[in-house]
Amino acid sequence: MRRVTKLAAAVTATAALALTTAACGGTSTESSGESEDKGAAIAYDVGGRGDQSFNDAAYAGLSKAEKEFGWDGEDIEPSDGESDADKASRLNELARLGYNPVIGVGFAYAGPIEEAAKKNPDVTFGLIDDETVTGDNIVNMVFSEEQGSYLAGVAAAHATETDVVGFVGGVEVPLIKKFEAGFVQGVQDTDPDIEIKRQYLTQPPNMDGFSKPDLGKEAARGQLDADADVIYHAAGLAGQGVIEAAADRDRWVIGVDSDQYEQKTLAPYKDNILTSMTKDVPDAVYNLIKSVEEDDPQSGVIRYNLEADGVALSDSNPAYQEMTELTEAVKQAKADIVAGKIEVSPTP
């Protein structure tokens, strides 16, 4: 798979990316300003590929499409401290080179995708985790994180032995507040006497809370010192530090976005990953690509919720499966949310 690492932000990157693509097996059509159908491209969020979470989930969807449709797509890393203009330039260049759809992984791509979509009306742009910008050629892939996080709260309330649980959010933005809101409601609906420790790693515009594991580790240690024995994180790559800290103390941690119990780099800590609140980002990405391949591109807002299995709790850890009271409570909570008996708030 061709991959450009730390693509230069300024679009002198236009020439750089064209040269890189040619060197990796692309044709010379780019140099003449023409484009060819090259399949899909994704531009990563903070943390990039290898976060064992959100970005890797998007890559899984791209990989599935590559195998099925027989082409090599492109996946592009973010640059440190890049601007919206940098992101927009990258998206425009991918469209110019013939990639379709072009997918921005994360809400930070909202403005850049709005700009790129207007400049490239024949290209479908996918935007994950944001529905504030729309357009005829924009597909907003959004998730009911608060619903899945409610189930995580139910699980944490049943698993705790100290009656203290924790939540670690990466950056205090509206999206991550949805994770917090659902988790807190799930805990409190299960047992209002349980104490909930809450902490965000950074405040916007500082996005280090999604990319620096040391920040997650420090925050988790503080909550563990305060007797938390189950911690739920929504912190991207920084969440690896939360997982490590919990495992070091032999406490439970609840992962996010991907099934983190199954992630190879997290194998040393897997026994302490009770479950993960997963978002079906792989299928969302694959479904968008498939629609373009079939000349019937998706459009508008597509919501992945509990009813559609767009969010869920993983059950890969055998220890989780053995907690029958917990798993039954989670099953019942899901049924009640789907039936409308429980309404989960997206705000704390």
Side-chain angles (χ1 to χ4, degrees):
M1 155 122 209
R2 289 169 300 157
R3 186 169 182 241
V4 178
T5 303
K6 299 297 183 185
L7 182 68
V11 173
T12 51
T14 297
L17 183 55
L19 287 172
T20 302
T21 305
C24 294
T27 71
S28 60
T29 58
E30 297 87 70
S31 63
S32 65
E34 300 173 358
S35 63
E36 59 174 313
D37 183 6
K38 293 184 176 181
I42 58 177
Y44 290 120
D45 199 1
V46 176
R49 177 140 64 97
D51 66 350
Q52 312 300 313
S53 185
F54 183 51
N55 290 300
D56 282 1
Y59 176 68
L62 176 65
S63 296
K64 179 180 177 181
E66 287 180 319
K67 292 174 183 176
E68 179 166 336
F69 301 120
W71 40 252
D72 287 334
E74 188 67 273
D75 62 324
I76 307 294
E77 296 282 358
S79 299
D80 294 336
E82 66 184 15
S83 67
D84 279 0
D86 297 330
K87 290 183 173 68
S89 295
R90 177 187 304 122
L91 298 172
N92 281 313
E93 179 63 7
L94 289 168
R96 188 190 73 80
L97 291 174
Y99 293 101
N100 187 20
V102 176
I103 301 169
V105 184
F107 62 86
Y109 280 95
I113 277 185
E114 184 177 36
E115 177 182 332
K118 290 177 180 177
K119 292 182 177 179
N120 302 276
D122 295 330
V123 175
T124 297
F125 288 85
L127 176 57
I128 302 177
D129 279 352
D130 186 276
E131 55 183 313
T132 62
V133 301
T134 59
D136 291 342
N137 59 330
I138 296 176
V139 181
N140 307 83
M141 296 170 278
V142 294
F143 298 81
S144 297
E145 292 92 355
E146 71 280 4
Q147 293 183 351
S149 296
Y150 185 98
L151 301 187
V154 172
H158 280 275
T160 182
E161 296 180 357
T162 63
D163 287 341
V164 182
V165 301
F167 171 79
V168 175
V171 182
E172 193 168 3
V173 294
L175 174 67
I176 306 303
K177 298 293 281 186
K178 290 172 66 180
F179 290 85
E180 177 193 356
F183 179 71
V184 169
Q185 186 178 340
V187 172
Q188 293 179 337
D189 284 358
T190 305
D191 186 345
D193 293 328
I194 292 176
E195 183 179 357
I196 306 170
K197 304 290 184 182
R198 296 179 250 185
Q199 183 172 345
Y200 284 89
L201 303 180
T202 61
Q203 297 290 322
N206 182 354
M207 295 292 163
D208 288 351
F210 290 138
S211 62
K212 294 191 175 181
D214 286 349
L215 295 178
K217 183 177 290 186
E218 181 181 358
R221 285 173 174 170
Q223 294 184 354
L224 294 163
D225 288 342
D227 291 331
D229 62 348
V230 185
I231 299 177
Y232 175 44
H233 87 84
L237 183 62
Q240 292 189 28
V242 178
I243 292 171
E244 292 178 25
D248 286 345
R249 302 281 187 91
D250 198 23
R251 300 297 191 182
W252 289 121
V253 63
I254 298 176
V256 77
D257 291 338
S258 297
D259 183 356
Q260 297 197 296
Y261 180 87
E262 297 287 2
Q263 300 299 317
K264 292 181 180 180
T265 62
L266 297 175
Y269 319 108
K270 65 188 299 182
D271 289 344
N272 293 92
I273 302 174
L274 177 64
T275 180
S276 296
M277 198 292 284
T278 60
K279 294 166 59 175
D280 199 0
V281 174
D283 271 358
V285 169
Y286 169 79
N287 289 340
L288 171 56
I289 296 171
K290 184 173 186 288
S291 75
V292 174
E293 286 287 319
E294 295 177 345
D295 292 324
D296 186 21
Q298 294 175 335
S299 63
V301 176
I302 300 176
R303 184 170 299 279
Y304 293 84
N305 56 19
L306 267 183
E307 185 173 11
D309 292 323
V311 292
L313 283 193
S314 63
D315 61 359
S316 301
N317 191 335
Y320 174 86
Q321 299 178 38
E322 292 169 2
M323 298 180 183
T324 54
E325 182 178 335
L326 181 158
T327 56
E328 285 300 315
V330 168
K331 182 179 178 180
Q332 185 61 55
K334 176 182 178 179
D336 287 345
I337 292 171
V338 171
K341 295 179 181 179
I342 295 175
E343 185 174 343
V344 185
S345 173
T347 57

